[in-house]
Amino acid sequence: MAKNYKGTMTGISKSMGFLLVILFTISTSIIILPLLNLNTDSFLLNLASKNPISAVVNFSHNAFFPWSVDSFWLKYFQSASVTFLIGIYLTIFCAGTYLLTQKTFQTWSEPFFLAILLTAFIVSVFGFDVTIISLIAYLPWLILAYSAFIYSERNSFLYALILTFISIRNVETSLYLSIIPASISIFLCWDRSLFTQKKQILALLILLTPAIVKNLSINLPYFPDYPWGKASLVSFDGVAGILRPLFGPEWGIEVIDRNFIRNTFWIPSLLLCILSFYRFSNLSEKNSPFIKKTIYLALILSGLSFLDTRLPESLAQIAPIATLSKLIPGFIFVPLTPIFLSISVFLLSISSSSVLTAAKVPLLFIITVLIFHASDKHTSYTFPLLYKIQKIEISTLNDKRTISPSYKIISDTKGLALNSERFRSVKKRVSPKRFSALLVASENSNSLKFTIDRDLKTHWNTSNQRQTGNEWLGLKLESPQIIDGINLNPGTETANFPRGLRISTLTECKEFPAKESFKENSEKINIPEWIGPVLFTKLDYPFFGKQSDLKIIFAQQILAQCILIEQTGIDHFHDWSIAEISLITTMNK
Amino acid sequence: MVSAKVPLIFNFDQTSSKQLDIEQPSLWKHICTFGFMLILFSIILGKVNFWDNNQQILIPSLTYGFIIGGILILTSLLQIKKVSSDCFTSVWGFAAGLILVFISDWLVRGYNLFQGPSARGELILVSILAAFTLRKKGTQLVSAFFVIGLFIIIFSFLSESKGQLLFSDDHASFIYRLQLLKSNFPNIPFYNPDWNAGFDSRDFFATGALSIYLLFLPIIYLFPIEEIYNLIVVSILFILLPASVFLASKQYKVSALASITASLLSLGVSLIWYRWALKYGTLGFILSTSLMPLVIAFSARFCDSKDPLKFKEYFIFFAALSICFMWPGSVFSLAPVALFILYSLPQISKNKIKIVFLTLFILVHVTWLGPFISVTKIGKFVTSESSSQQKKVSSTSALSNDRSHEDLKLFKMKPQALSIPSLLTHLREQVITVNPLIIFLAIPGIALLTRGIQKRVLQIQCLWLFLCGAILYPLKPQLELDRLLTVLVIILCVPTGIAFAALLKNLREEISESKIKSIVTYLAAGFLLSTPLATANIINNRSPEQYFFATSFLKDLSTAINIHAGDGRVLFSGFILQDISGGHVAPLPYFSNKQLITSAYYHTQWWYTDVIPESFRKEGLAGVQKFQDFYNVSAVIAHEPTWKKFFRSHPDQFQLVWQSGKFELFKRLGYLSNYFLEGSGEISKITNHNISLRLNSDSAVIKFTYFPFLTATDCELSFFEAFSGNKFIKLSNCPIGKEIKIESLSPWQRTIKGL
């Protein structure tokens, strides 16, 4: 690769650019990131404790995975925050990108801005994702060192040492994912004409051996004892069962929110696919093999990401990304799509002939996302950086269960009891009949009597065997009562549970009011997607139970006379059935 | 009709064989074979759905399969001028079945080797890889996958075991058998007082433990069994088997690609293979079966005067045949080969080396065959399908025959009449677990063999195994003939390798590239190269067949027994079978260094049988204590709630001294250990093959089970019936104060006396 670049910059300007890049990135990371108060430490909570087996949870897609900070940096910055370490990784990446691209350009400023732009873009799109930042940190350096070693005619030993050093740093930083940057470097710099050369083989060994060893020696942190086969942690991805690796460690339960990955990354992957294809179609004989390979790889990676996010989940599970997750130990713990996309962005940027060309990638991306976001309400895409600022609350971080696979339940579940003591203490179910309750419903009112007849075979249900999101059922009690929760037992119709659920209450009411009378502040719970009741392991880690179990315990006791239960989800094949309603309370009448 | 001349796939030795030309089958022959394959496919699957169980039907029923297949066959036969057997054995026609496997619900059916539906991901990925490399570097690619696959599988086993001992089901028994052989060989069979007051330790022959022992003799003597047992299992499954298949395929003079393909396939022939190997721990069967491809290949050459064996090949053949032969089931499995050798005797007798070989083989094996036939009463075993026969066979381990017939279910199932629906169900259950590559390529692979004798031997052998394993198995359930289907798929690795090599060779030689042929070949490569991945999945315990390693509980229990047993024996109350890390209790005397009593220390009974006979249990506490006194029981281990409650409810008789999990160990209070029922003396030493004692009187009855083959120094032995069905050793005319040793007669004495 190196021999294909012909630069005209002087040594001084090169060095000046390099120093500027380092200074700029490190100052930005150290000064600005803490000012943003992004809670980045939460990503790597416990890591700075030098615990060899630590766990990290991703606040966006809930991936829970073993991780540790490179001890090399901890030696020099023992008291540094993880934000600082992330700053260091970004600086390494930025400086490496500058060095990798500077030979393409005439002036130092172009690679300088390209490196800065690329770093900022990756952070803003993919957030402070420890896997992505660690993985890309040494990628440009690996490419540089690999090509320098195999093409060097003198000082081979020195270059071998440099390559070994960077290879080890790469492995220590990106751990069991290090095989990705190593493989990418090999793909980009592989020279068939050098196949028989010992150097090429030696370089392969230097890059792959430590990465493979790391993949085969993953130590797992504590994983809560969720009841296997009966618990879920994230929303249902539409395919029964879980994707299990053929070998290597696993959790045995779906931890990553696949729906989030699919909704969030399909637009970026489509966009990168189009961009890569555009660049691919414009390739000519003049382009160096390195540039060609860079664009091929960007196209492959973004194409695979698109397949992973846009194919129906049942087919996505046999697509290459899911298959790689099954085949390479450790890959099952983290979603590969954002990783592949970030690399794709990197590859497209470094193959650009000018900063303006490179800038098209982020610009086009931002414009498209904004258009989609404005035009389609169902697009749940938000910049991860903003997503995290909105999402993470300090109170949540204080919960020891936050850095666990239960994170998504803790952060997303509003209004439900997340306190196992409270959950376990509330046991008494009382029929609304005991409070002389009046029952009303959006439809089929004649069969409401079946919800209090103590017969699980008889039901009240919505019509047309579907759920439109507008069904509701109301209870007016004789007098205000203190209630802890509500149970909407679907009886024998286990598939006919509500797909979404909202419960609102009024403390006092004379008649059951119109649905619109329940204002926002009367809303007690709002679960757009019903995954199951929140249950707890012995050590209090919450998980979702069976969807057909509709035992809902409120976060606090509620004084209510009128209760509105709304079905807010959509299902084209199942109606909403209730065989028996009961109020859950610790109070005696 | 289009025809072309293509070279053979085989690398013929030019000095011994002439180059033959094979006419490439026409399109109609492929279609005819496809029709035939479609019928087989329908037989295997019955109703075939598209992709998964979503009820999108591909073939509604077996009848439709027959109709569609029949139409294809008839149409193509009308188009083919000269009908021959190769109309039904085109490698392309059969290989096209792999597309059906991929798109149908085959891969999502339970107990599949490739655990679907996500298995399609690996198949696609590997097929794509194959598409880029197979044509130019087919052999290198398959070899690389073999090496990487082997590494992944062995690494998976090591990481799954975490240094623990493989203990599932009969593995525990095998550990014990190997330990007994280590301390007693060559004096087998022998009397073993470790279990149930003494039993006839003779099952080294029937289980094939002897073959394992002899093959791994050096390491067994150098290291403790528990340290090298996992290594033995891994060596057989992942080194010996692929090596055997590789060497076997070399006997057919096939290409390197065919040989390495066969070896790679042998790493993942079927899920049931690993059920027998890892879950059930039938090591004798596994070892013998692993060597069968080699034995069959050598046997065919042995009968072939045109292709003489070299000296080192005679040596390998002798070793393989001998080890294979030490699992008695091999005699039945290889009956056609044996008959073929007998049939070829006139021709064999012309060769002196072959005569020496056969003579030597007979001489070597007579040494153990005599005692084996004498002590195992094999004739009775074969005919033992009635309850009365079962009762007789069980006498070696049962403490009493005071049991109802229902207590003595010695076999998994009773004989059944042949019925097509049940045979079809059985066949489908077995076939769905097999690597689809073997199902669809083995038949054309056999057809591609050109050496007459080798082809005939393999054909007859395969037909025999299929007949026994798929059709005759319900007639003699005690013989477990269904295993022979597993033997069959191991043997079929070689022809499958040949057919795969033929696929690739034909593809390479295609002048105009056919897309369908390319897809079929790459998909076949996908199945082949994904095989070690599917195996790694099984090894990692992620298949429906779960196997177990010994947990720390085994050590804890052994230590507890050793500490709390007292001077007498320890009894496992109720019925214990595979309750200790999924394995049998057999090796506990070895780990605890104590004598024990249980209902079944090996898998000799299939239904609940309480160790204490009903006549004693009826009497309540007094009866239980009487039984324990008879057997000098000083401590009891209970794991069943009823027995735990019983012992806990008598704290003045039984003191709880240890518990872990569901197991509780009770010490008998106020009981003085005594091995003498009548008379008095001192038991000076009990080993796993003899008892040493001194008497204070010239006669005594000791609480050890009597067998007619026992002998004692300076003493006369007879039996004493303490209660119905029990036989204790009675000593008469013994010297007082002098050490007396009770042990089994030598193997040859037992053979001569028919004991």
Side-chain angles (χ1 to χ4, degrees):
Chain A
M1 187 275 297
K3 68 181 178 184
N4 298 314
Y5 285 86
K6 287 180 181 176
T8 53
M9 270 191 282
T10 62
I12 296 168
S13 57
K14 272 184 203 173
S15 312
M16 192 175 75
F18 185 66
L19 280 173
L20 265 177
V21 162
I22 290 175
L23 279 172
F24 184 85
T25 329
I26 208 154
S27 57
T28 312
S29 306
I30 293 165
I31 300 164
I32 298 176
L33 292 186
L35 288 178
L36 284 172
N37 191 22
L38 295 176
N39 299 317
T40 42
D41 277 5
S42 56
F43 275 92
L44 300 165
L45 211 68
N46 304 324
L47 294 187
S49 65
K50 297 179 189 176
N51 183 348
I53 311 169
S54 295
V56 177
V57 68
N58 187 296
F59 291 154
S60 303
H61 45 67
N62 201 50
F64 176 76
F65 49 97
W67 203 258
S68 59
V69 173
D70 183 359
S71 54
F72 175 80
W73 293 106
L74 283 177
K75 263 186 224 168
Y76 303 104
F77 304 101
Q78 284 180 0
S79 57
S81 69
V82 178
T83 315
F84 181 80
L85 285 175
I86 282 186
I88 296 215
Y89 289 159
L90 287 173
T91 309
I92 292 167
F93 170 69
C94 200
T97 309
Y98 171 84
L99 284 182
L100 188 65
T101 53
Q102 47 112 1
K103 288 187 179 175
T104 322
F105 300 105
Q106 303 291 319
T107 60
W108 64 269
S109 58
E110 280 189 290
F112 171 82
F113 285 115
L114 191 141
I116 300 288
L117 184 76
L118 183 59
T119 310
F121 179 65
I122 284 179
V123 169
S124 61
V125 173
F126 302 102
F128 290 95
D129 188 324
V130 64
T131 55
I132 291 174
I133 293 171
S134 305
L135 192 137
I136 59 166
Y138 288 98
L139 181 56
W141 294 93
L142 278 174
I143 297 167
L144 282 168
Y146 187 99
S147 54
F149 172 63
I150 59 168
Y151 291 113
S152 64
E153 286 164 8
R154 288 180 299 166
N155 300 325
S156 291
F157 182 70
L158 178 67
Y159 284 120
L161 277 181
I162 293 170
L163 182 63
T164 309
F165 174 76
I166 293 173
S167 173
I168 291 169
R169 290 277 57 79
N170 169 50
V171 170
E172 289 297 311
T173 308
S174 48
L175 306 173
Y176 47 87
L177 299 175
S178 55
I179 201 154
I180 298 175
S183 306
I184 286 168
S185 314
I186 293 164
F187 178 83
L188 293 179
C189 306
W190 185 263
D191 190 337
R192 289 173 75 94
S193 62
L194 299 174
F195 182 73
T196 50
Q197 277 198 9
K198 285 178 188 172
K199 263 194 194 176
Q200 185 107 330
I201 306 294
L202 183 64
L204 273 184
L205 289 174
I206 291 172
L207 280 178
L208 290 180
T209 310
I212 290 170
V213 169
K214 205 72 181 178
N215 274 81
L216 297 178
S217 56
I218 302 169
N219 289 315
L220 296 185
Y222 171 75
F223 192 80
D225 54 340
Y226 303 111
W228 195 83
K230 293 175 187 171
S232 54
L233 299 167
V234 286
S235 58
F236 182 51
D237 60 8
V239 179
I242 61 159
L243 197 70
R244 300 186 72 186
L246 292 176
F247 40 87
E250 62 160 349
W251 297 135
I253 185 169
E254 191 73 73
V255 173
I256 298 169
D257 186 352
R258 279 288 300 160
N259 292 331
F260 176 88
I261 299 285
R262 292 168 66 81
N263 290 335
T264 306
F265 293 108
W266 81 268
I267 297 171
S269 50
L270 173 66
L271 194 69
L272 286 170
C273 230
I274 294 167
L275 276 170
S276 313
F277 188 76
Y278 173 74
R279 299 283 296 278
F280 171 77
S281 56
N282 284 330
L283 279 175
S284 64
E285 288 299 313
K286 290 176 190 171
N287 293 108
S288 69
F290 177 78
I291 297 292
K292 282 179 184 169
K293 282 189 199 173
T294 308
I295 292 167
Y296 296 157
L297 195 56
L299 183 61
I300 291 168
L301 295 180
S302 54
L304 294 182
S305 303
F306 184 68
L307 290 179
D308 186 53
T309 51
R310 213 52 196 154
L311 281 177
E313 186 62 13
S314 58
L315 292 178
Q317 288 196 353
I318 61 168
I321 284 190
T323 308
L324 282 175
S325 300
K326 284 175 69 187
L327 291 177
I328 301 176
F331 278 23
I332 199 78
F333 296 130
V334 288
L336 295 180
T337 299
I339 291 172
F340 280 12
L341 286 178
S342 62
I343 295 169
S344 197
V345 169
F346 166 76
L347 294 172
L348 280 180
S349 300
I350 62 163
S351 62
S352 304
S353 54
S354 71
V355 183
L356 282 177
T357 317
K360 282 177 190 168
V361 179
L363 278 174
L364 215 66
F365 178 82
I366 292 164
I367 292 164
T368 316
V369 167
L370 288 176
I371 292 168
F372 266 85
H373 199 57
S375 62
D376 187 357
K377 284 180 183 175
H378 295 294
T379 305
S380 60
Y381 189 81
T382 313
F383 280 115
L385 202 63
L386 302 173
Y387 181 85
K388 287 174 180 69
I389 292 168
Q390 289 167 1
K391 198 123 192 169
I392 302 156
E393 294 168 9
I394 298 298
S395 60
T396 312
L397 290 173
N398 292 333
D399 191 335
K400 65 168 181 152
R401 302 168 299 175
T402 302
I403 309 300
S404 83
S406 298
Y407 167 75
K408 198 85 176 165
I409 300 174
I410 296 167
S411 68
D412 289 3
T413 311
K414 308 288 182 207
L416 289 180
L418 286 172
N419 179 337
S420 65
E421 276 180 34
R422 170 163 168 68
F423 180 83
R424 284 169 186 141
S425 67
V426 178
K427 284 177 183 169
K428 199 170 180 181
R429 292 181 193 187
V430 183
S431 169
K433 268 203 283 192
R434 287 186 59 184
F435 303 112
S436 307
L438 172 77
L439 273 82
V440 286
S442 57
E443 54 193 284
N444 211 0
S445 301
N446 291 338
S447 55
L448 275 171
K449 58 180 181 284
F450 296 132
T451 61
I452 48 172
D453 65 351
R454 295 191 173 187
D455 184 354
L456 292 177
K457 288 175 191 162
T458 57
H459 302 83
W460 167 83
N461 59 314
T462 56
S463 50
N464 298 328
Q465 289 202 328
R466 59 174 58 195
Q467 296 179 34
T468 59
N470 297 314
E471 300 86 353
W472 59 269
L473 188 145
L475 285 99
K476 183 195 162 284
L477 310 179
E478 191 181 32
S479 58
Q481 299 293 329
I482 294 174
I483 57 170
D484 291 273
I486 197 159
N487 190 25
L488 306 168
N489 192 341
T492 52
E493 304 290 322
T494 49
N496 296 355
F497 54 85
R499 269 43 184 174
L501 195 67
R502 182 163 56 214
I503 298 178
S504 310
T505 60
L506 293 177
T507 313
E508 285 185 358
C509 54
K510 286 181 182 173
E511 296 294 324
F512 192 84
K515 190 178 134 189
E516 292 71 30
S517 307
F518 289 84
K519 292 173 186 169
E520 266 188 32
N521 57 2
S522 66
E523 184 180 294
K524 295 298 175 281
I525 64 158
N526 186 359
I527 304 164
E529 187 191 355
W530 175 255
I531 304 168
V534 177
L535 307 175
F536 297 88
T537 68
K538 283 178 187 169
L539 292 175
D540 280 358
Y541 288 91
F543 62 92
F544 293 117
K546 283 191 295 183
Q547 283 184 304
S548 58
D549 179 6
L550 278 117
K551 186 184 174 187
I552 298 148
I553 307 291
F554 302 134
Q556 285 114 26
Q557 286 186 328
I558 290 166
L559 182 67
Q561 189 174 9
C562 280
I563 304 164
L564 175 69
I565 304 158
E566 291 173 276
Q567 195 294 113
T568 57
I570 291 171
D571 190 299
H572 300 296
F573 303 102
H574 298 94
D575 55 24
W576 175 29
S577 298
I578 300 176
E580 214 55 37
I581 295 180
S582 48
L583 300 173
I584 299 168
T585 178
T586 45
M587 309 295 287
N588 292 319
K589 192 187 173 186
Chain B
M1 189 173 73
V2 180
S3 68
K5 302 280 182 184
V6 294
L8 272 179
I9 56 162
F10 307 111
N11 301 328
F12 278 97
D13 182 350
Q14 289 179 350
T15 56
S16 61
S17 305
K18 61 177 184 179
Q19 184 83 16
L20 296 171
D21 285 343
I22 290 178
E23 194 177 301
Q24 195 180 26
S26 70
L27 178 67
W28 288 108
K29 285 184 179 177
H30 296 322
I31 293 171
C32 185
T33 307
F34 184 77
F36 179 53
M37 183 279 302
L38 204 61
I39 292 171
L40 288 181
F41 189 81
S42 311
I43 291 171
I44 295 167
L45 285 199
K47 181 186 165 191
V48 185
N49 285 325
F50 175 71
W51 203 253
D52 54 21
N53 303 321
N54 57 11
Q55 301 305 314
Q56 291 175 341
I57 298 167
L58 210 61
I59 302 172
S61 68
L62 176 59
T63 317
Y64 281 85
F66 267 99
I67 293 168
I68 301 166
I71 290 169
L72 288 173
I73 292 171
L74 284 174
T75 314
S76 46
L77 285 180
L78 286 172
Q79 299 293 327
I80 299 167
K81 288 175 188 171
K82 190 181 165 189
V83 177
S84 60
S85 63
D86 67 337
C87 295
F88 297 93
T89 55
S90 144
V91 69
W92 292 108
F94 263 104
L98 293 170
I99 295 177
L100 287 179
V101 171
F102 187 82
I103 63 166
S104 72
D105 60 338
W106 178 301
L107 293 171
V108 298
R109 297 200 178 189
Y111 291 88
N112 220 297
L113 177 73
F114 295 94
Q115 289 287 304
S118 63
R120 291 191 180 101
E122 295 96 80
L123 294 172
I124 294 171
L125 202 66
V126 177
S127 299
I128 292 170
L129 178 71
F132 284 106
T133 45
L134 201 63
R135 274 172 187 261
K136 287 181 182 171
K137 293 180 177 174
T139 311
Q140 290 96 319
L141 182 71
V142 179
S143 306
F145 263 75
F146 176 76
V147 174
I148 295 167
L150 204 59
F151 171 77
I152 290 172
I153 290 168
I154 294 174
F155 180 82
S156 296
F157 185 85
L158 293 175
S159 73
E160 185 62 21
S161 72
K162 298 181 184 79
Q164 294 164 333
L165 181 63
L166 188 58
F167 210 71
S168 214
D169 203 346
D170 261 354
H171 283 296
S173 311
F174 254 91
I175 291 162
Y176 185 52
R177 287 180 190 124
L178 291 177
Q179 179 55 36
L180 290 177
L181 281 169
K182 186 177 178 178
S183 51
N184 293 288
F185 187 80
N187 296 317
I188 54 167
F190 57 92
Y191 178 69
N192 185 349
D194 273 352
W195 279 106
N196 293 3
F199 71 101
D200 183 8
S201 213
R202 69 185 190 197
D203 59 356
F204 311 109
F205 306 118
T207 58
L210 196 58
S211 59
I212 306 279
Y213 173 76
L214 291 174
L215 186 63
F216 295 96
L217 195 69
I219 59 165
I220 285 174
Y221 273 100
L222 283 173
F223 304 98
I225 295 292
E226 61 272 26
E227 284 180 18
I228 45 103
Y229 184 75
N230 285 7
L231 179 71
I232 290 174
V233 178
V234 168
S235 306
I236 296 170
L237 284 175
F238 308 124
I239 295 168
L240 188 75
L241 173 62
S244 159
V245 169
F246 185 84
L247 270 180
S249 64
K250 283 287 165 199
Q251 306 315 307
Y252 297 93
K253 307 282 189 291
V254 297
S255 64
L257 176 63
S259 298
I260 197 76
T261 300
S263 295
L264 181 56
L265 265 175
S266 72
L267 294 176
V269 286
S270 79
L271 186 62
I272 287 184
W273 170 247
Y274 287 103
R275 180 194 286 172
W276 288 110
L278 296 174
K279 186 180 179 182
Y280 293 166
T282 51
L283 275 202
F285 163 67
I286 294 301
L287 176 59
S288 184
T289 305
S290 300
L291 292 169
M292 276 188 205
L294 193 58
V295 169
I296 293 166
F298 272 129
S299 300
R301 280 188 67 195
F302 187 75
C303 299
D304 189 355
S305 57
K306 292 173 188 169
D307 186 17
L309 292 167
K310 292 170 190 165
F311 179 74
K312 70 173 180 188
E313 288 174 330
Y314 272 115
F315 181 76
I316 296 169
F317 181 33
F318 189 88
L321 186 61
S322 298
I323 291 168
C324 188
F325 192 53
M326 283 178 186
W327 175 65
S330 65
V331 179
F332 195 77
S333 307
L334 296 174
V337 170
L339 288 174
F340 204 85
I341 293 175
L342 278 177
Y343 172 77
S344 310
L345 263 184
Q347 183 266 319
I348 289 170
S349 60
K350 291 173 189 167
N351 187 319
K352 282 178 188 171
I353 302 173
K354 289 179 182 175
I355 293 169
V356 172
F357 179 92
L358 284 179
T359 314
L360 206 62
F361 182 79
I362 292 164
L363 285 175
V364 165
H365 290 282
V366 158
T367 54
W368 68 271
L369 262 177
F372 167 65
I373 292 167
S374 168
V375 301
T376 52
K377 315 283 188 286
I378 191 150
K380 285 182 183 174
F381 177 75
V382 173
T383 55
S384 59
E385 56 202 35
S386 65
S387 296
S388 58
Q389 283 292 350
Q390 289 180 16
K391 208 169 179 178
K392 286 174 193 169
V393 174
S394 69
S395 64
T396 52
S397 61
L399 291 164
S400 156
N401 48 21
D402 174 24
R403 289 185 169 89
S404 63
H405 284 184
E406 277 68 34
D407 283 340
L408 289 162
K409 299 276 175 59
L410 296 178
F411 309 117
K412 275 188 281 192
M413 56 184 276
K414 288 180 177 175
Q416 293 170 351
L418 296 178
S419 80
I420 290 175
S422 67
L423 290 179
L424 214 51
T425 308
H426 169 72
L427 183 68
R428 284 172 181 167
E429 283 171 1
Q430 297 276 319
V431 172
I432 206 74
T433 70
V434 178
N435 193 325
L437 215 54
I438 295 177
I439 305 284
F440 292 99
L441 292 186
I443 294 174
I446 294 173
L448 281 167
L449 286 173
T450 50
R451 286 168 174 266
I453 289 178
Q454 285 183 331
K455 190 172 181 174
R456 248 176 292 153
V457 169
L458 202 61
Q459 280 172 336
I460 295 166
Q461 181 62 49
C462 291
L463 275 174
W464 168 250
L465 292 171
F466 182 79
L467 184 76
C468 295
I471 298 166
L472 301 179
Y473 85 98
L475 300 176
K476 289 281 175 194
Q478 70 273 27
L479 296 178
E480 295 185 344
L481 292 179
D482 52 334
R483 288 191 201 193
L484 299 196
L485 283 181
T486 308
V487 176
L488 175 64
V489 294
I490 293 282
I491 289 167
L492 289 177
C493 284
V494 174
T496 308
I498 294 169
F500 180 80
L503 270 182
L504 189 58
K505 193 166 178 66
N506 287 351
L507 188 74
R508 281 174 181 162
E509 289 166 358
E510 285 277 313
I511 300 159
S512 58
E513 190 179 322
S514 156
K515 280 184 181 166
I516 292 180
K517 285 184 177 179
S518 300
I519 290 169
V520 167
T521 309
Y522 299 144
L523 189 60
F527 275 102
L528 174 71
L529 304 179
S530 300
T531 295
L533 304 176
T535 305
N537 193 41
I538 299 168
I539 302 295
N540 279 297
N541 251 336
R542 287 168 194 175
S543 77
E545 295 293 353
Q546 297 286 298
Y547 67 103
F548 306 98
F549 293 91
T551 59
S552 58
F553 173 73
L554 176 68
K555 195 180 172 188
D556 294 347
L557 179 67
S558 306
T559 311
I561 291 172
N562 186 274
I563 293 169
H564 302 294
D567 295 329
R569 297 188 177 105
V570 178
L571 177 136
F572 280 94
S573 65
F575 181 65
I576 189 161
L577 196 64
Q578 293 156 334
D579 297 82
I580 298 170
S581 300
H584 295 300
V585 289
L588 277 178
Y590 167 58
F591 291 123
S592 66
N593 207 21
K594 292 285 175 187
Q595 285 77 52
L596 307 166
I597 292 174
T598 181
S599 176
Y601 43 90
Y602 292 146
H603 207 153
T604 49
Q605 285 160 23
W606 293 91
W607 306 104
Y608 188 96
T609 312
D610 201 300
V611 64
I612 302 175
E614 197 180 354
S615 56
F616 287 92
R617 277 182 278 142
K618 275 180 186 170
E619 293 176 35
L621 177 64
V624 170
Q625 285 196 309
K626 198 161 86 180
F627 181 80
Q628 290 174 345
D629 289 348
F630 270 136
Y631 282 98
N632 190 29
V633 172
S634 52
V636 188
I637 297 171
H639 67 289
E640 293 156 347
T642 47
W643 278 112
K644 284 195 279 190
K645 194 178 167 188
F646 176 84
F647 296 123
R648 279 171 179 266
S649 64
H650 297 100
D652 52 333
Q653 303 292 331
F654 300 97
Q655 183 194 357
L656 179 65
V657 288
W658 176 86
Q659 69 181 101
S660 176
K662 63 179 180 180
F663 285 82
E664 293 181 355
L665 199 155
F666 297 88
K667 203 169 180 174
R668 286 186 74 191
L669 295 175
Y671 176 74
L672 280 176
S673 169
N674 185 6
Y675 279 105
F676 289 85
L677 194 66
E678 285 181 8
S680 64
E682 180 200 353
I683 302 287
S684 44
K685 195 178 178 188
I686 304 171
T687 69
N688 61 18
H689 57 278
N690 62 28
I691 310 154
S692 303
L693 70 158
R694 290 172 206 276
L695 294 183
N696 299 333
S697 52
D698 66 345
S699 67
V701 175
I702 53 171
K703 294 171 182 176
F704 287 90
T705 310
Y706 171 83
F707 286 96
F709 56 79
L710 288 180
T711 178
T713 47
D714 306 324
C715 245
E716 287 175 18
L717 296 183
S718 58
F719 69 87
F720 177 85
E721 194 167 325
F723 55 90
S724 171
N726 157 275
K727 282 179 181 177
F728 278 148
I729 298 172
K730 184 177 181 182
L731 299 108
S732 321
N733 303 324
C734 303
I736 297 170
K738 190 180 173 188
E739 185 162 288
I740 300 160
K741 190 183 269 185
I742 300 171
E743 60 188 354
S744 171
L745 288 169
S746 74
W748 278 107
Q749 282 175 310
R750 284 184 67 174
T751 309
I752 292 160
K753 292 183 179 179
L755 299 172

